[in-house]
Amino acid sequence: MESKRVPSGMETVRVDLGSRSYPILIGHGTLSDFGRAYAARGLGSVAAIVTNPTVARLYLDPVRAGLEAQGVAATVVEIPDGEEFKTLATAGRIYGDLIRAGLDRRGCIVTLGAGAVGHTAGFVAATYLRGIDFVQVPTTLEAQIDASVGGKTGVDHPLGKNMIGAFYQPKLVYIDTETLMTLPRREVVAGMAEVIKHGLIRDEALVRFLESKIEKVADLAIEPEQLVSLIARNCRIKAGVVAADETEAGLREILNYGHTVGHAVEAVTGYRVYKHGEAVMLGMLAAGRIGVIKGFWKPADLQRQNALIEKLGIPSGARTLEADKLIGRMASDKKARDGVIRFVLPETIGRAVTCDTVKRTEIEEGIRYMQERAPEPV
Ligand code: NAD
Ligand code: GLY
């Protein structure tokens, strides 16, 4: 693959969390410089790169070689690819590999891959030897703009997704947007859901940019500089929210726009039908409609949101989902309080709030609205 390097170097976004602050470095075609960035942060001289076979085949060599060129001894821990391996059993395997490799408190975990790798290995970093340094090298759109930023780490439990975890911040997030070029289009589109979400909750100008360019972005048919700047803009949005509310006691909840219904859609379909971002797209249709019913949002704003989602393609198959089951899942979600289903609702394009007073009939109307717009499966 010919590398189109962004000549002017990398963009930096800082996540401001006092003594736990860290930079997100974003460039294009810059993976082979990772070792230098790692060494410049004074991170451990022994590193464990945790990755999966899909990503290792594509990107392990430059990351490992870059570390070794800086005198860092790099050991590699491969875990199987897939959300179904984001478990305590996989974490247990990683602990074993780290112990066998002799990684001590001065060591550092480098997560190389997508959200599932980052979440699992980040959780291991939070708990191994009561916490060691870790660095995220995310390689999907979703992970570059969301999962790798903000310190959520964890694994799934048979009774619920992300039920075990910790807020634990990395020392560095290193993003090479060129890694997106090998992503299947479906993964890019799923990541775009969170880009739309960021615009709707925090950044009207981003929504306007997407209105003119979303198809090109989803095809990754924009200039590398534009891609770097788009990822940086999204990281900035997320970093700003996380800096204001690291542990989701308030503001951070707005990042869950579209997630109340989205998580329920993922859960009732056994996490096998929809990508997370696809479920979030469906969830934004429902939550957007509820926003209008509650008088928070103008119908014209809902249309603007929907037009973006339609350009990506509304995921099919939601018509057969049962509203009762979806609402049951929402009430038992870890984010519900005493059975009260909390929604994030948009107020204007670029601003959102939480709402605990959405009635069951309003949720049903939101679900109906989402289903009417979702195409039948082909
Ligand atoms: P994923 O981890 O399931 O990865 C998707 C697929 O893409 C995998 O098969 C992976 O091996 C492959 N892949 C990764 N990079 C690639 C590349 N550059 N080229 C080709 N293939 C590549 O997907 P994801 O969407 O990144 O992450 C989903 C996970 O992240 C879930 O576990 C979810 O809970 C978590 N998540 C966390 C947050 C958060 O804020 N903490 C936010 C969103 C999602
Ligand atoms: N993905 C939502 C969060 O990190 O809070």
Side-chain angles (χ1 to χ4, degrees):
M1 183 180 25
E2 194 191 332
S3 180
K4 272 198 186 171
R5 209 179 148 88
V6 171
S8 56
M10 309 185 81
E11 284 212 35
T12 304
V13 174
R14 194 176 154 77
V15 185
D16 261 316
L17 289 166
S19 60
R20 286 168 298 104
S21 299
Y22 54 95
I24 306 169
L25 304 182
I26 307 133
H28 190 92
T30 47
L31 205 56
S32 53
D33 289 337
F34 168 68
R36 264 195 289 274
Y38 175 99
R41 299 282 302 158
L43 291 161
S45 58
V46 180
I49 305 169
V50 182
T51 186
N52 72 30
T54 316
V55 180
R57 186 175 50 79
L58 293 163
Y59 301 115
L60 177 59
D61 285 351
V63 169
R64 181 168 43 191
L67 286 170
E68 286 172 354
Q70 298 298 318
V72 177
T75 178
V76 178
V77 178
E78 267 195 28
I79 60 174
D81 189 357
E83 181 73 23
E84 65 272 35
F85 298 103
K86 201 179 111 178
T87 58
L88 274 177
T90 302
R93 263 197 47 201
I94 303 173
Y95 295 132
D97 286 352
L98 300 184
I99 294 167
R100 275 186 289 278
L103 205 79
D104 66 18
R105 283 220 171 99
R106 292 160 301 171
C108 180
I109 289 179
V110 174
T111 76
L112 172 64
V117 164
H119 250 201
T120 311
F123 177 68
V124 168
T127 46
Y128 180 68
L129 301 177
R130 301 198 176 87
I132 63 169
D133 288 348
F134 88 114
V135 166
Q136 302 258 36
V137 185
T139 58
T140 59
L141 181 57
E142 161 95 61
Q144 293 187 352
I145 63 155
D146 192 358
S148 70
V149 178
K152 280 192 182 175
T153 71
V155 294
D156 301 335
H157 184 275
L159 296 179
K161 205 174 164 218
N162 295 327
M163 291 305 280
I164 302 154
F167 286 101
Y168 192 69
Q169 302 296 339
K171 295 291 177 198
L172 167 70
V173 179
Y174 191 89
I175 297 175
D176 178 356
T177 57
E178 194 176 43
T179 58
L180 301 181
M181 301 303 159
T182 52
L183 260 192
R185 190 173 190 280
R186 186 174 173 196
E187 295 288 349
V188 179
V189 167
M192 287 302 294
E194 307 283 3
V195 176
I196 296 176
K197 178 198 80 179
H198 280 157
L200 292 170
I201 62 170
R202 279 307 253 192
D203 187 348
E204 212 255 332
L206 174 57
V207 170
R208 275 187 270 119
F209 169 80
L210 293 174
E211 284 171 338
S212 66
K213 283 250 169 24
I214 194 160
E215 290 109 326
K216 284 201 157 162
V217 179
D219 288 341
L220 298 174
I222 56 175
E223 287 302 313
E225 288 86 350
Q226 262 187 319
L227 186 56
V228 166
S229 126
L230 179 68
I231 302 295
R233 186 178 191 135
N234 277 273
C235 288
R236 217 165 274 125
I237 291 168
K238 176 126 192 211
V241 172
V242 168
D245 174 24
E246 183 182 7
T247 56
E248 204 167 312
L251 180 71
R252 188 165 179 165
E253 289 187 70
I254 66 168
L255 295 171
N256 296 324
Y257 177 55
H259 286 56
T260 308
V261 174
H263 278 155
V265 166
E266 285 184 276
V268 302
T269 52
Y271 300 96
R272 278 187 297 273
V273 177
Y274 297 102
K275 305 259 161 220
H276 174 68
E278 293 170 342
V280 169
M281 281 194 243
L282 292 169
M284 290 193 289
L285 293 174
R289 172 68 187 140
I290 294 169
V292 170
I293 298 169
K294 297 296 275 178
F296 283 54
W297 222 21
K298 293 202 219 60
D301 289 337
L302 176 61
Q303 292 314 323
R304 282 179 73 187
Q305 165 193 279
N306 293 358
L308 290 176
I309 297 173
E310 279 158 18
K311 282 183 188 170
L312 292 180
I314 298 175
S316 62
R319 290 186 188 200
T320 52
L321 302 176
E322 288 172 45
D324 274 355
K325 282 198 184 153
L326 289 172
I327 295 171
R329 282 310 291 223
M330 289 177 220
S332 64
D333 189 270
K334 69 180 186 304
K335 291 195 166 94
R337 299 275 176 279
D338 301 324
V340 174
I341 299 171
R342 171 164 287 192
F343 273 84
V344 177
L345 299 180
E347 280 193 319
T348 56
I349 299 260
R351 207 170 63 224
V353 287
T354 53
C355 178
D356 287 337
T357 60
V358 181
K359 296 193 204 77
R360 187 183 170 98
T361 50
E362 293 166 336
I363 301 176
E364 285 167 351
E365 166 58 22
I367 292 171
R368 213 168 17 251
Y369 182 84
M370 160 190 99
Q371 291 182 313
E372 282 165 9
R373 268 141 202 88
E376 300 281 5
V378 277

